[in-house]
Amino acid sequence: MTRLLALSVACLLLLSPLQAADKPADKTTPKPTAEQLTFFEKKIRPLLVSKCYGCHSAKAKPVKGELLLDTREGLRKGGDSGPAIVPGDPEASLLIQAVSYDNADLQMPPKTKLSMDPIDKLIQWIAMGAPDPRDGKTANITDKDAFDIAKRKAEHWAWKPVR
């Protein structure tokens, strides 16, 4: 019996790291350090403002790809192609793929490729977890779900009786 108990304990000890790996990661974002916030404010925000906001901010008309980069939520939510960034994983981040011109269908900014220095700064920022002090909700920019056929039939001339 003692041998069976020892074997059970050994199995539990061996399997416990595997069970911990199956648990979902903690969804809380660590509070950014002062250095990380300074990095964002001096290197990342000016880049986003000068190269991205023209097409990807709440003030852009129309917003391209339904992607808003003027809020933290917008960056993480992403647009038509999915989340723009994966904090901590630059290789999986669509933003890095777009600015690096790695994908022929996704090249931003569209007219000229960024030099390597700004791309390296974006990679560094995402690798550090993409600290972003900007708060605020992403504006609702789509009306795809707003099409109400019953309302349209009641209002549009094509569905009205001929007079």
Side-chain angles (χ1 to χ4, degrees):
M1 187 71 172
T2 309
R3 208 175 236 190
L4 183 60
L5 182 62
L7 184 59
S8 299
V9 170
C11 287
L12 285 174
L13 290 174
L14 288 173
L15 292 176
S16 61
L18 296 175
Q19 291 174 341
D22 290 340
K23 291 181 182 176
D26 185 16
K27 296 288 183 185
T28 59
T29 305
K31 186 172 177 149
T33 65
E35 294 84 23
Q36 290 174 329
L37 294 178
T38 300
F39 184 85
F40 175 82
E41 293 298 344
K42 290 191 175 188
K43 305 290 183 188
I44 304 304
R45 189 191 299 250
L47 176 63
L48 294 174
V49 169
S50 66
K51 301 293 183 183
C52 306
Y53 281 15
C55 298
H56 300 289
S57 72
K59 293 180 182 175
K61 298 295 179 204
V63 174
K64 305 289 184 176
E66 295 190 22
L67 173 62
L68 291 172
L69 300 178
D70 54 354
T71 63
R72 178 180 56 231
E73 181 184 325
L75 262 167
R76 297 186 181 190
K77 177 183 170 192
D80 289 341
S81 299
I85 61 169
V86 178
D89 192 356
E91 290 180 13
S93 297
L94 289 175
L95 180 64
I96 299 303
Q97 294 171 23
V99 298
S100 299
Y101 279 42
D102 289 342
N103 181 341
D105 296 327
L106 183 66
Q107 297 180 342
M108 296 293 143
K111 293 185 172 129
T112 58
K113 182 180 176 183
L114 297 175
S115 63
M116 279 311 295
D117 185 53
I119 294 171
D120 289 341
K121 298 293 185 216
L122 286 168
I123 291 170
Q124 183 181 355
W125 173 64
I126 292 171
M128 70 173 70
D132 187 344
R134 300 173 300 166
D135 284 329
K137 295 288 181 187
T138 300
N140 185 11
I141 56 170
T142 181
D143 63 348
K144 285 182 180 176
D145 299 328
F147 186 81
D148 181 2
I149 191 71
K151 181 179 176 188
R152 296 288 173 101
K153 282 184 176 182
E155 295 174 355
H156 196 271
W157 64 268
W159 281 290
K160 300 216 182 244
V162 177
R163 288 189 242 174

